[in-house]
Amino acid sequence: MPSGRHPLGVPAPIAAFTEAAGIGFDGDQPWDIEVRDGRLFTDLMRRGSLALGEGYVNGLWDCQRLDQLFTRLLTPNTAIDVMQGFEPWAYLRSVVFTLGEHLLNWQTQLRSHQVARRHYDIDPRVYAAMLDSRRIYSCAYWQQASNLEQAQEHKLKLICEKLQLEPGQRVLDLGCGWGGFARYAAENYGVEVLGITVSAQQQRYAQGLALDLPVRTVLADYRTPLLRQEKPFDRIVSVGMMEHVGRLNDSLFFQIVKDLLTDNGLVLLQSIGTRQTTAKIDPWINTYIFPNGRLPSAQQLCRGFECSLILQDWQNFGRDYDTTLMVWWTNFDSAWPGLSQDIAPSFYRLWSYYLLSCAGLFRSGQGQLWQLVLSKPSLQQAYRSIRPGICSLSPGFAASVPQLGS
């Protein structure tokens, strides 16, 4: 690796990494970095991803297309290694952090509400403006969909069909969000739903959304003793919550799911995943967006459920999350003039950085989006995988997926 500094003042380790990714400084490409304050480089050497995110929010640098920048930043195999920084001390901190991931449980029941206070319980107008009408805050299913509303409805229908929902069944929704799935399933399939969320704001909204339906929403962690008082559920669904469980808790999570499931029940799990197994995380995302969040790899996920449940189906549609995030950002960007009257200006840069960097994560292939169907070993009938096409999802819709990530 080159030593010294780049002719433009960029430290050589940073220059070597960005040049390998095809990224320039103060160049003409939309993904090039426009440096506004030279202090950025010193901080990048020392703190890596954390400095990059804070520097953007604080206006030390800019970029026309953050999504394209992060697609290139995350594509090199060394991307994860430089998240902590480029200096020797940064590497040592990374080693210490990795050891801590194996020894310390950051996702205890007492800490489980931290992410709600940081992320889910912010000004609700942000989510109302950004999401679809049901406020589904997880990856949409864009096959045969031409807008976000269709794509999220297709995802909900896909989940219900994979779970083979029938009238009268009892469904547990672990990490129910704003209650969109619970209402959809109760309305369209005649099931009874119990939703669990750690967000007080989500619980209040979900309760109000389904007053006329057999839906309950409880403010609790999945480890709550309240669930032990319930009869076994015919179906269990968890969409976008596995990312908050933590690898030291995976086996417990799946054991709880098994204990709450009937012998012939089905489980659908939707989760973001990583292409490679690693204990390293993005420090900026962990600090400002999803405290204590950890993305599983396929290997880690399998290790978590293999002693409790049987895998019946596994589908990956990770590129759909790129499209979903770009639509969310477009909605947020369009709504910002109205939101900015009451929300700090720095929030726009923070939220844009979050959405667009995550879009780059999925476009690069480092991020995956999985739906798994699981069961107990006692399941009597054979499970048949479902991949609905245009006819079963929504007849008449044209196959026109927005190409916002190009």
Side-chain angles (χ1 to χ4, degrees), residues 25 124 127 145 207 279 292 387-388:
F25 291 92
Y127 292 112
Q207 284 180 325
N292 311 314
R387 299 290 186 271

Side-chain angles (χ1 to χ4, degrees), residues 65 67 322-330 356 359 363 404-405:
R65 290 293 301 269
D67 55 311
D322 175 15
T323 305
T324 303
L325 284 154
M326 293 303 297
V327 174
W328 285 348
W329 179 80
T330 299
L356 295 173
R363 202 178 308 164
L404 297 177

Side-chain angles (χ1 to χ4, degrees), residues 205-270:
Y205 186 88
Q207 284 180 325
L209 189 68
L211 292 175
D212 56 335
L213 294 166
V215 174
R216 291 181 293 147
T217 308
V218 176
L219 180 64
D221 177 76
Y222 68 91
R223 290 159 286 199
T224 176
L226 294 174
L227 286 176
R228 302 194 192 106
Q229 303 171 16
E230 297 284 337
K231 297 185 300 182
F233 293 87
D234 302 294
R235 301 291 187 264
I236 298 177
V237 61
S238 180
V239 177
M241 197 198 80
M242 197 69 206
E243 300 89 335
H244 302 298
V245 171
R247 306 295 68 82
L248 294 182
N249 302 308
D250 283 348
S251 295
L252 172 62
F253 172 82
F254 285 112
Q255 184 60 52
I256 290 173
V257 168
K258 179 183 178 183
D259 293 343
L260 294 171
L261 189 66
T262 60
D263 287 344
N264 282 310
L266 293 174
V267 179
L268 185 136
L269 177 76
Q270 179 171 311

Side-chain angles (χ1 to χ4, degrees), residues 57 332 336 339-351:
V57 174
F332 169 70
W336 180 249
L339 297 173
S340 63
Q341 299 176 18
D342 302 304
I343 302 177
S346 60
F347 182 82
Y348 175 81
R349 292 182 70 85
L350 179 141
W351 208 249

Side-chain angles (χ1 to χ4, degrees), residues 110-386:
L110 288 175
R111 295 169 61 90
S112 64
H113 293 263
Q114 290 180 352
V115 68
R117 291 191 293 269
R118 165 67 72 175
H119 191 78
Y120 297 112
D121 290 344
I122 63 172
D123 191 321
R125 295 175 304 160
V126 172
Y127 292 112
M130 184 177 85
L131 305 178
D132 63 300
S133 64
R134 294 185 176 91
R135 295 197 188 183
I136 304 298
Y137 193 29
S138 56
C139 181
Y141 191 64
W142 287 94
Q143 181 178 337
Q144 316 301 343
S146 58
N147 58 60
L148 183 63
E149 197 72 22
Q150 292 173 9
Q152 291 292 16
E153 183 172 351
H154 287 191
K155 191 264 299 293
L156 296 177
K157 185 174 179 65
L158 179 64
I159 291 172
C160 292
E161 291 192 358
K162 285 183 176 181
L163 284 172
Q164 302 172 1
L165 294 187
E166 297 178 358
Q169 290 178 337
R170 297 178 68 249
V171 180
L172 175 62
D173 186 356
L174 294 171
C176 65
W178 284 271
F181 167 80
R183 182 173 181 86
Y184 179 86
E187 276 186 326
N188 293 280
Y189 292 84
V191 296
E192 176 187 339
V193 186
L194 172 61
I196 302 292
T197 176
V198 295
S199 165
Q201 190 171 162
Q202 288 182 339
Q203 184 211 20
R204 289 192 298 270
Y205 186 88
Q207 284 180 325
L209 189 68
L211 292 175
D212 56 335
L213 294 166
V215 174
R216 291 181 293 147
T217 308
V218 176
L219 180 64
D221 177 76
Y222 68 91
R223 290 159 286 199
T224 176
L226 294 174
L227 286 176
R228 302 194 192 106
Q229 303 171 16
E230 297 284 337
K231 297 185 300 182
F233 293 87
D234 302 294
R235 301 291 187 264
I236 298 177
V237 61
S238 180
V239 177
M241 197 198 80
M242 197 69 206
E243 300 89 335
H244 302 298
V245 171
R247 306 295 68 82
L248 294 182
N249 302 308
D250 283 348
S251 295
L252 172 62
F253 172 82
F254 285 112
Q255 184 60 52
I256 290 173
V257 168
K258 179 183 178 183
D259 293 343
L260 294 171
L261 189 66
T262 60
D263 287 344
N264 282 310
L266 293 174
V267 179
L268 185 136
L269 177 76
Q270 179 171 311
S271 176
I272 298 172
T274 59
R275 186 176 69 85
Q276 295 174 303
T277 300
T278 178
K280 297 176 181 177
I281 63 169
D282 184 328
W284 187 85
I285 290 288
N286 185 59
T287 302
Y288 292 99
I289 305 298
F290 294 116
N292 311 314
R294 301 294 187 269
L295 304 182
S297 68
Q299 181 186 83
Q300 291 168 330
L301 205 53
C302 290
R303 192 178 296 137
F305 68 71
E306 64 183 3
C307 293
S308 304
L309 301 165
I310 291 179
L311 175 66
Q312 299 290 350
D313 186 46
W314 190 316
Q315 182 182 7
N316 177 16
F317 48 99
R319 287 302 294 265
D320 283 21
Y321 223 148
D322 175 15
T323 305
T324 303
L325 284 154
M326 293 303 297
V327 174
W328 285 348
W329 179 80
T330 299
N331 291 344
F332 169 70
D333 182 60
S334 298
W336 180 249
L339 297 173
S340 63
Q341 299 176 18
D342 302 304
I343 302 177
S346 60
F347 182 82
Y348 175 81
R349 292 182 70 85
L350 179 141
W351 208 249
S352 296
Y353 188 87
Y354 151 55
L355 294 173
L356 295 173
S357 64
C358 287
L361 172 72
F362 291 99
R363 202 178 308 164
S364 72
Q366 298 285 1
Q368 306 284 301
L369 192 285
W370 300 320
Q371 275 190 1
L372 285 67
V373 177
L374 306 162
S375 74
K376 286 184 174 182
S378 55
L379 183 68
Q380 294 180 359
Q381 66 274 22
Y383 183 83
R384 304 300 180 188
S385 299
I386 295 174

